[in-house]
Amino acid sequence: MNSDQIEKLMNNPEQELEFWREEDQQPELVRMRYVPQGESGYFQVTFLDEEEGIIGSQVLDEVEDALRFLEKNNNVNK
């Protein structure tokens, strides 16, 4: 399932994956997108609060890192 989502992002960079997670007992909206760069690219993850204000971001350089991130965060779409 997660690998399918990663593949969809890589094939369509305009698309974002969006889901909620709990962090320090606070809900965070997570948006992940793929940014192509040359022959490869990277994943940009943005964390937003309930009012959709940016509270952080993360760059994942490898597909395996993106897969681990999704598995760790249980990726439950709402």
Side-chain angles (χ1 to χ4, degrees):
M1 173 77 175
N2 289 337
S3 60
D4 292 340
Q5 292 170 314
I6 294 295
E7 187 175 326
K8 285 180 187 176
L9 290 177
M10 292 176 74
N11 290 333
N12 186 2
E14 295 82 31
Q15 183 179 10
E16 288 185 337
L17 176 63
E18 191 172 276
F19 59 92
W20 288 91
R21 74 172 190 171
E22 289 283 324
E23 187 70 19
D24 298 325
Q25 300 178 347
Q26 296 293 319
E28 290 182 351
L29 179 60
V30 179
R31 288 188 181 143
M32 176 186 273
R33 65 186 183 100
Y34 181 72
V35 180
Q37 193 172 42
E39 292 184 17
S40 60
Y42 61 91
F43 295 88
Q44 174 70 45
V45 182
T46 307
F47 306 99
L48 303 107
D49 60 20
E50 292 183 88
E51 289 80 38
E52 296 200 23
I54 296 175
I55 54 177
S57 66
Q58 183 175 359
V59 172
L60 304 168
D61 293 327
E62 303 290 334
V63 171
E64 292 80 15
D65 295 336
L67 287 168
R68 272 194 299 274
F69 178 84
L70 290 179
E71 289 169 8
K72 178 183 171 196
N73 289 286
N74 296 322
N75 191 20
V76 178
N77 284 317
K78 290 188 176 182

mmCIF file with all atom_site columns, all heavy atoms in Angstrom, residues 45-57:
data_model
loop_
_atom_site.group_PDB
_atom_site.id
_atom_site.type_symbol
_atom_site.label_atom_id
_atom_site.label_alt_id
_atom_site.label_comp_id
_atom_site.label_asym_id
_atom_site.label_entity_id
_atom_site.label_seq_id
_atom_site.pdbx_PDB_ins_code
_atom_site.Cartn_x
_atom_site.Cartn_y
_atom_site.Cartn_z
_atom_site.occupancy
_atom_site.B_iso_or_equiv
_atom_site.pdbx_formal_charge
_atom_site.auth_seq_id
_atom_site.auth_comp_id
_atom_site.auth_asym_id
_atom_site.auth_atom_id
_atom_site.pdbx_PDB_model_num
ATOM 1  N N   . VAL A 1 45 ? 8.261  16.834 3.123  1.00 0.00 ? 45 VAL A N   1
ATOM 2  C CA  . VAL A 1 45 ? 7.175  16.596 4.065  1.00 0.00 ? 45 VAL A CA  1
ATOM 3  C C   . VAL A 1 45 ? 6.964  17.877 4.852  1.00 0.00 ? 45 VAL A C   1
ATOM 4  O O   . VAL A 1 45 ? 7.917  18.448 5.397  1.00 0.00 ? 45 VAL A O   1
ATOM 5  C CB  . VAL A 1 45 ? 7.512  15.435 5.030  1.00 0.00 ? 45 VAL A CB  1
ATOM 6  C CG1 . VAL A 1 45 ? 6.352  15.168 5.968  1.00 0.00 ? 45 VAL A CG1 1
ATOM 7  C CG2 . VAL A 1 45 ? 7.885  14.180 4.254  1.00 0.00 ? 45 VAL A CG2 1
ATOM 8  N N   . THR A 1 46 ? 5.724  18.342 4.910  1.00 0.00 ? 46 THR A N   1
ATOM 9  C CA  . THR A 1 46 ? 5.379  19.552 5.653  1.00 0.00 ? 46 THR A CA  1
ATOM 10 C C   . THR A 1 46 ? 4.388  19.185 6.734  1.00 0.00 ? 46 THR A C   1
ATOM 11 O O   . THR A 1 46 ? 3.430  18.443 6.488  1.00 0.00 ? 46 THR A O   1
ATOM 12 C CB  . THR A 1 46 ? 4.770  20.616 4.710  1.00 0.00 ? 46 THR A CB  1
ATOM 13 O OG1 . THR A 1 46 ? 5.670  20.824 3.616  1.00 0.00 ? 46 THR A OG1 1
ATOM 14 C CG2 . THR A 1 46 ? 4.543  21.928 5.433  1.00 0.00 ? 46 THR A CG2 1
ATOM 15 N N   . PHE A 1 47 ? 4.619  19.703 7.944  1.00 0.00 ? 47 PHE A N   1
ATOM 16 C CA  . PHE A 1 47 ? 3.738  19.461 9.080  1.00 0.00 ? 47 PHE A CA  1
ATOM 17 C C   . PHE A 1 47 ? 2.970  20.742 9.374  1.00 0.00 ? 47 PHE A C   1
ATOM 18 O O   . PHE A 1 47 ? 3.567  21.813 9.475  1.00 0.00 ? 47 PHE A O   1
ATOM 19 C CB  . PHE A 1 47 ? 4.552  19.052 10.311 1.00 0.00 ? 47 PHE A CB  1
ATOM 20 C CG  . PHE A 1 47 ? 5.459  17.873 10.059 1.00 0.00 ? 47 PHE A CG  1
ATOM 21 C CD1 . PHE A 1 47 ? 6.801  18.063 9.794  1.00 0.00 ? 47 PHE A CD1 1
ATOM 22 C CD2 . PHE A 1 47 ? 4.960  16.580 10.057 1.00 0.00 ? 47 PHE A CD2 1
ATOM 23 C CE1 . PHE A 1 47 ? 7.649  16.992 9.550  1.00 0.00 ? 47 PHE A CE1 1
ATOM 24 C CE2 . PHE A 1 47 ? 5.787  15.496 9.811  1.00 0.00 ? 47 PHE A CE2 1
ATOM 25 C CZ  . PHE A 1 47 ? 7.129  15.705 9.556  1.00 0.00 ? 47 PHE A CZ  1
ATOM 26 N N   . LEU A 1 48 ? 1.643  20.616 9.507  1.00 0.00 ? 48 LEU A N   1
ATOM 27 C CA  . LEU A 1 48 ? 0.793  21.784 9.741  1.00 0.00 ? 48 LEU A CA  1
ATOM 28 C C   . LEU A 1 48 ? -0.075 21.550 10.974 1.00 0.00 ? 48 LEU A C   1
ATOM 29 O O   . LEU A 1 48 ? -0.437 20.412 11.282 1.00 0.00 ? 48 LEU A O   1
ATOM 30 C CB  . LEU A 1 48 ? -0.106 22.024 8.523  1.00 0.00 ? 48 LEU A CB  1
ATOM 31 C CG  . LEU A 1 48 ? 0.658  22.210 7.216  1.00 0.00 ? 48 LEU A CG  1
ATOM 32 C CD1 . LEU A 1 48 ? 0.507  20.995 6.341  1.00 0.00 ? 48 LEU A CD1 1
ATOM 33 C CD2 . LEU A 1 48 ? 0.217  23.441 6.510  1.00 0.00 ? 48 LEU A CD2 1
ATOM 34 N N   . ASP A 1 49 ? -0.422 22.652 11.646 1.00 0.00 ? 49 ASP A N   1
ATOM 35 C CA  . ASP A 1 49 ? -1.333 22.536 12.787 1.00 0.00 ? 49 ASP A CA  1
ATOM 36 C C   . ASP A 1 49 ? -2.768 22.490 12.282 1.00 0.00 ? 49 ASP A C   1
ATOM 37 O O   . ASP A 1 49 ? -3.020 22.479 11.077 1.00 0.00 ? 49 ASP A O   1
ATOM 38 C CB  . ASP A 1 49 ? -1.110 23.664 13.797 1.00 0.00 ? 49 ASP A CB  1
ATOM 39 C CG  . ASP A 1 49 ? -1.332 25.051 13.219 1.00 0.00 ? 49 ASP A CG  1
ATOM 40 O OD1 . ASP A 1 49 ? -2.012 25.178 12.177 1.00 0.00 ? 49 ASP A OD1 1
ATOM 41 O OD2 . ASP A 1 49 ? -0.842 26.016 13.820 1.00 0.00 ? 49 ASP A OD2 1
ATOM 42 N N   . GLU A 1 50 ? -3.714 22.471 13.204 1.00 0.00 ? 50 GLU A N   1
ATOM 43 C CA  . GLU A 1 50 ? -5.125 22.343 12.809 1.00 0.00 ? 50 GLU A CA  1
ATOM 44 C C   . GLU A 1 50 ? -5.619 23.518 11.982 1.00 0.00 ? 50 GLU A C   1
ATOM 45 O O   . GLU A 1 50 ? -6.586 23.389 11.229 1.00 0.00 ? 50 GLU A O   1
ATOM 46 C CB  . GLU A 1 50 ? -5.994 22.154 14.047 1.00 0.00 ? 50 GLU A CB  1
ATOM 47 C CG  . GLU A 1 50 ? -5.757 20.812 14.715 1.00 0.00 ? 50 GLU A CG  1
ATOM 48 C CD  . GLU A 1 50 ? -6.652 20.566 15.891 1.00 0.00 ? 50 GLU A CD  1
ATOM 49 O OE1 . GLU A 1 50 ? -7.759 20.040 15.671 1.00 0.00 ? 50 GLU A OE1 1
ATOM 50 O OE2 . GLU A 1 50 ? -6.250 20.907 17.007 1.00 0.00 ? 50 GLU A OE2 1
ATOM 51 N N   . GLU A 1 51 ? -4.993 24.674 12.107 1.00 0.00 ? 51 GLU A N   1
ATOM 52 C CA  . GLU A 1 51 ? -5.366 25.845 11.301 1.00 0.00 ? 51 GLU A CA  1
ATOM 53 C C   . GLU A 1 51 ? -4.561 25.908 10.009 1.00 0.00 ? 51 GLU A C   1
ATOM 54 O O   . GLU A 1 51 ? -4.582 26.902 9.300  1.00 0.00 ? 51 GLU A O   1
ATOM 55 C CB  . GLU A 1 51 ? -5.157 27.146 12.095 1.00 0.00 ? 51 GLU A CB  1
ATOM 56 C CG  . GLU A 1 51 ? -6.155 27.361 13.221 1.00 0.00 ? 51 GLU A CG  1
ATOM 57 C CD  . GLU A 1 51 ? -5.803 26.553 14.476 1.00 0.00 ? 51 GLU A CD  1
ATOM 58 O OE1 . GLU A 1 51 ? -4.601 26.427 14.792 1.00 0.00 ? 51 GLU A OE1 1
ATOM 59 O OE2 . GLU A 1 51 ? -6.722 26.031 15.112 1.00 0.00 ? 51 GLU A OE2 1
ATOM 60 N N   . GLU A 1 52 ? -3.796 24.846 9.718  1.00 0.00 ? 52 GLU A N   1
ATOM 61 C CA  . GLU A 1 52 ? -2.953 24.705 8.535  1.00 0.00 ? 52 GLU A CA  1
ATOM 62 C C   . GLU A 1 52 ? -1.796 25.698 8.487  1.00 0.00 ? 52 GLU A C   1
ATOM 63 O O   . GLU A 1 52 ? -1.313 26.074 7.423  1.00 0.00 ? 52 GLU A O   1
ATOM 64 C CB  . GLU A 1 52 ? -3.785 24.737 7.245  1.00 0.00 ? 52 GLU A CB  1
ATOM 65 C CG  . GLU A 1 52 ? -4.745 23.564 7.157  1.00 0.00 ? 52 GLU A CG  1
ATOM 66 C CD  . GLU A 1 52 ? -5.235 23.266 5.767  1.00 0.00 ? 52 GLU A CD  1
ATOM 67 O OE1 . GLU A 1 52 ? -4.567 23.633 4.797  1.00 0.00 ? 52 GLU A OE1 1
ATOM 68 O OE2 . GLU A 1 52 ? -6.307 22.649 5.675  1.00 0.00 ? 52 GLU A OE2 1
ATOM 69 N N   . GLY A 1 53 ? -1.333 26.115 9.675  1.00 0.00 ? 53 GLY A N   1
ATOM 70 C CA  . GLY A 1 53 ? -0.102 26.888 9.763  1.00 0.00 ? 53 GLY A CA  1
ATOM 71 C C   . GLY A 1 53 ? 1.078  25.927 9.808  1.00 0.00 ? 53 GLY A C   1
ATOM 72 O O   . GLY A 1 53 ? 1.033  24.899 10.477 1.00 0.00 ? 53 GLY A O   1
ATOM 73 N N   . ILE A 1 54 ? 2.128  26.238 9.079  1.00 0.00 ? 54 ILE A N   1
ATOM 74 C CA  . ILE A 1 54 ? 3.297  25.354 9.017  1.00 0.00 ? 54 ILE A CA  1
ATOM 75 C C   . ILE A 1 54 ? 4.018  25.349 10.362 1.00 0.00 ? 54 ILE A C   1
ATOM 76 O O   . ILE A 1 54 ? 4.344  26.395 10.912 1.00 0.00 ? 54 ILE A O   1
ATOM 77 C CB  . ILE A 1 54 ? 4.256  25.788 7.893  1.00 0.00 ? 54 ILE A CB  1
ATOM 78 C CG1 . ILE A 1 54 ? 3.569  25.632 6.540  1.00 0.00 ? 54 ILE A CG1 1
ATOM 79 C CG2 . ILE A 1 54 ? 5.551  24.973 7.935  1.00 0.00 ? 54 ILE A CG2 1
ATOM 80 C CD1 . ILE A 1 54 ? 4.378  26.145 5.365  1.00 0.00 ? 54 ILE A CD1 1
ATOM 81 N N   . ILE A 1 55 ? 4.251  24.140 10.881 1.00 0.00 ? 55 ILE A N   1
ATOM 82 C CA  . ILE A 1 55 ? 4.977  24.004 12.147 1.00 0.00 ? 55 ILE A CA  1
ATOM 83 C C   . ILE A 1 55 ? 6.295  23.252 11.976 1.00 0.00 ? 55 ILE A C   1
ATOM 84 O O   . ILE A 1 55 ? 7.058  23.127 12.920 1.00 0.00 ? 55 ILE A O   1
ATOM 85 C CB  . ILE A 1 55 ? 4.108  23.333 13.235 1.00 0.00 ? 55 ILE A CB  1
ATOM 86 C CG1 . ILE A 1 55 ? 3.554  21.996 12.758 1.00 0.00 ? 55 ILE A CG1 1
ATOM 87 C CG2 . ILE A 1 55 ? 2.980  24.250 13.643 1.00 0.00 ? 55 ILE A CG2 1
ATOM 88 C CD1 . ILE A 1 55 ? 2.758  21.241 13.800 1.00 0.00 ? 55 ILE A CD1 1
ATOM 89 N N   . GLY A 1 56 ? 6.563  22.770 10.767 1.00 0.00 ? 56 GLY A N   1
ATOM 90 C CA  . GLY A 1 56 ? 7.832  22.098 10.519 1.00 0.00 ? 56 GLY A CA  1
ATOM 91 C C   . GLY A 1 56 ? 7.860  21.453 9.146  1.00 0.00 ? 56 GLY A C   1
ATOM 92 O O   . GLY A 1 56 ? 6.848  21.396 8.451  1.00 0.00 ? 56 GLY A O   1
ATOM 93 N N   . SER A 1 57 ? 9.054  20.988 8.774  1.00 0.00 ? 57 SER A N   1
ATOM 94 C CA  . SER A 1 57 ? 9.198  20.289 7.499  1.00 0.00 ? 57 SER A CA  1
ATOM 95 C C   . SER A 1 57 ? 10.373 19.330 7.583  1.00 0.00 ? 57 SER A C   1
ATOM 96 O O   . SER A 1 57 ? 11.202 19.421 8.490  1.00 0.00 ? 57 SER A O   1
ATOM 97 C CB  . SER A 1 57 ? 9.384  21.274 6.347  1.00 0.00 ? 57 SER A CB  1
ATOM 98 O OG  . SER A 1 57 ? 10.604 21.949 6.488  1.00 0.00 ? 57 SER A OG  1
#
